[in-house]
Amino acid sequence: MAMDSLASLIAARSSDSPTAPYLEDARSDRVVTFGDLEARAAEWAEAFAAGAVSPGATVVIDVTDPLSFAVAHLSVVASGRRSVPVNPQGTWAETLKSAALGSSEAIVTDRAEPGETDVQVFRPESATGAPQAGEHQDPAARIIEAASAGSVILFTSGSTGQPKGVEITEAQLLYVARAIADHNALTSADRGFNSLPLFHVNAEVVGLLSTLVAGATLVLDRGFHKTGFWELLAERRITWLNAVPAILAVLAKSGPAVPPESLRFVRSASSALPEAVRTTFRGIPMIISYGMTEGASQITATPLGQDPRPGSVGLPVGDEIEPRDTDGNALPVGEIGELWIRGPGVVTHYFQGRAADRFDAEGWLRTGDLGHLDADGWVYLAGRTDDVINRGGEKVYPAEVEDVLLEDARVREAVVVARPDAILGSVPVAYVIPADLDSPADARAALAADLTARCEAELPRFKRPLDVTVVDDLPRTPTGKVQRNRTRDMVAEASKA
């Protein structure tokens, strides 16, 4: 059976393995089989049609229950509509803002009292994710192939604070999902574990779609819980873990990992993994990756079965990547520049035409990320273009300083940002989170002093942070990444005091 659309892929999986589990809830015995998914998708399509939510319409997904969220989201795309997943922990006002930005015709939500809105509200049944209203089709009915292709719209808040809509087409989603499933060697015997937010592109493509492509099973949790984590993975016979550096850093705090025997590999998304954390997982195959919403998640990844190179996020997977200078010229091996990406999984424009200057005529997208390639094509990140610190005309790339700080095993995370300076314009300052959060004040003072000495020994003067501060935590995104812009704002405000 051809599987060139999400609807046909769902139908194929249901035809081949109707009773095989596709999604499982980590905290209960609830399961969505491939047959269930096809039936629910048909029911959702019928409910939207009955509610005059036309093909091509935009539907906001604001659902707390992970199984219901996943089924509703996939059903919207499979029916030829646009899905806008939002954070269900956000406010109703934020949900309505996303609905307005996408000119949405409907909202799917399981909020107890969602509040007033001018658009239609659909409510899923918590156990299955099927629509509550409308007559359901025969569960054996096949999904009708949508007349138009579906898509996902995700809104990113840039440095200006004005959200940019990234619309990823059904074809792009499936292209990247297939590349990930192939790269990870996923089969129907695999059982993944995902506690990352489903309203982010990683969980949607790396988690939901690559699992569907492989005909495998994905266990969904509402969030990361370190207590009993490895025991839960053993109980669920997990073969691969979808995680981010922040989660792995927390797990590393307990010492060398003792994963279940079933675990084939751990996947770490979004950035390089600190060596102090990676060594804790020594002996466990590790895939370290880099991606972005505009690339439908994964752009680079460590080849499965090869040891990650320290500081690297692997090789391009399915797309091209090229460091360029400020004039747009390609840079040679080893030179840091802004990373440009191009390929079947990369968007060619933003929703409603915003930020058109980030795309060129040959289909390349300017990512805003800095990095370089080594002689073998492995990619190394050096921060964001707006993270570069201009210290009296000298450029300081935060990642270069952070790598030195992370060489100390007592450091779990390190973040270097700019602090305003009346003479030099800006200077680097460092914040480090200790591996031992319970360390006393004198141990923290000793750590800061040792790190200052390390920077003096290993970095030229202009790259050395003027201050090294040990903190318990820093502002973070829902996926656990440190929010550098908020950290910079915090530093700027403190410098005024």
Side-chain angles (χ1 to χ4, degrees):
M1 180 183 294
M3 293 184 287
D4 55 358
S5 70
L6 183 55
S8 61
L9 175 59
I10 292 172
R13 291 288 166 258
S14 176
S15 176
D16 295 340
S17 309
T19 61
Y22 167 48
L23 303 174
E24 294 181 5
D25 179 27
R27 304 291 166 173
S28 74
D29 59 0
R30 293 190 300 131
V31 176
V32 174
T33 67
F34 289 111
D36 292 336
L37 177 63
E38 184 185 32
R40 299 296 82 80
E43 290 166 0
W44 271 115
E46 185 182 56
F48 290 137
V53 180
S54 57
T58 304
V59 181
V60 171
I61 310 297
D62 175 19
V63 179
T64 303
D65 175 69
L67 299 192
S68 298
F69 191 119
V71 169
H73 166 66
L74 294 174
S75 299
V76 169
V77 179
S79 70
R81 294 170 173 85
R82 294 162 154 171
S83 175
V84 182
V86 300
N87 185 354
Q89 304 302 322
T91 65
W92 184 244
E94 290 172 319
T95 296
L96 294 183
K97 180 180 178 181
S98 294
L101 287 169
S103 302
S104 303
E105 295 184 20
I107 298 174
V108 177
T109 186
D110 60 357
R111 291 177 187 262
E113 297 180 7
E116 295 184 3
T117 176
D118 294 331
V119 300
Q120 288 195 76
V121 173
F122 292 79
R123 302 184 67 78
E125 296 174 358
S126 61
T128 64
Q132 196 171 40
E135 294 192 10
H136 297 178
Q137 291 185 348
D138 181 341
R142 291 280 179 245
I143 305 172
I144 299 174
E145 191 73 25
S148 60
S151 64
V152 175
I153 301 175
L154 300 168
F155 289 99
T156 63
S157 56
S159 57
T160 63
Q162 295 298 316
K164 294 191 297 293
V166 180
E167 183 168 14
I168 312 169
T169 68
E170 191 172 339
Q172 289 171 321
L173 292 165
L174 290 174
Y175 172 82
V176 177
R178 290 184 177 113
I180 292 168
D182 182 64
H183 184 87
N184 295 350
L186 297 182
T187 72
S188 59
D190 275 300
R191 295 175 55 81
F193 187 90
N194 180 86
S195 61
L196 303 180
L198 289 173
F199 57 90
H200 276 257
V201 71
N202 178 290
E204 293 168 16
V205 181
V206 177
L208 297 177
L209 285 180
S210 73
T211 298
L212 186 61
V213 164
T217 302
L218 186 67
V219 179
L220 297 174
D221 207 353
R222 290 174 184 249
F224 169 64
H225 307 278
K226 67 176 181 179
T227 303
F229 182 79
W230 294 119
E231 291 80 1
L232 176 61
L233 266 58
E235 176 187 340
R236 292 287 181 167
R237 308 185 315 282
I238 298 302
T239 63
W240 71 279
L241 168 63
N242 193 25
V244 291
I247 287 176
L248 299 179
V250 171
L251 292 172
K253 181 177 181 292
S254 301
V258 184
E261 293 182 0
S262 59
L263 194 67
R264 286 202 300 120
F265 66 90
V266 171
R267 186 183 187 280
S268 178
S270 82
S271 62
L273 195 62
E275 281 300 289
V277 175
R278 191 170 73 86
T279 54
T280 304
F281 292 84
R282 185 163 288 153
I284 305 171
M286 183 78 65
I287 294 177
I288 297 172
S289 66
Y290 155 68
M292 62 189 305
T293 304
E294 289 89 336
S297 72
Q298 180 173 279
I299 297 169
T300 71
T302 304
L304 184 63
Q306 291 190 33
D307 288 336
R309 296 187 181 184
S312 177
V313 289
L315 295 161
V317 180
D319 293 319
E320 299 174 79
I321 189 164
E322 184 176 88
R324 297 185 181 180
D325 62 20
T326 54
D327 293 324
N329 301 309
L331 291 169
V333 167
E335 287 198 25
I336 293 175
E338 184 169 7
L339 298 176
W340 289 66
I341 57 173
R342 178 176 68 175
V346 179
V347 299
T348 57
H349 59 276
Y350 283 110
F351 185 60
Q352 298 175 336
R354 291 204 59 217
D357 61 329
R358 291 185 61 177
F359 303 88
D360 73 8
E362 296 179 345
W364 289 91
L365 164 66
R366 178 163 54 87
T367 67
D369 290 318
L370 295 166
H372 74 274
L373 275 59
D374 67 16
D376 298 321
W378 287 63
V379 179
Y380 298 76
L381 302 179
R384 296 279 298 172
T385 53
D386 51 4
D387 292 336
V388 177
I389 303 165
N390 189 334
R391 180 177 183 171
E394 298 276 12
K395 289 184 178 180
V396 180
Y397 297 104
E400 294 179 308
V401 185
E402 291 161 2
D403 287 345
V404 172
L405 297 170
L406 289 166
E407 290 172 2
D408 192 309
R410 294 171 293 174
V411 176
R412 179 191 300 178
E413 286 185 82
V415 175
V416 174
V417 296
R419 184 174 71 192
D421 185 86
I423 298 174
L424 297 172
S426 60
V427 293
V429 293
Y431 288 86
V432 298
I433 299 172
D436 181 7
L437 291 176
D438 298 323
S439 57
D442 57 345
R444 293 187 174 212
L447 174 59
D450 290 347
L451 292 174
T452 299
R454 180 184 288 269
C455 289
E456 289 175 353
E458 299 187 23
L459 293 170
R461 181 178 295 275
F462 74 92
K463 292 184 181 181
R464 299 171 192 166
L466 264 66
D467 290 314
V468 176
T469 304
V470 181
V471 296
D472 287 336
D473 206 354
L474 291 164
R476 295 184 183 275
T477 67
T479 56
K481 292 174 67 175
V482 171
Q483 293 180 306
R484 289 179 180 270
N485 57 341
R486 288 183 59 193
T487 303
R488 282 197 301 268
D489 292 344
M490 178 180 71
V491 172
E493 286 299 317
S495 68
K496 295 176 184 178

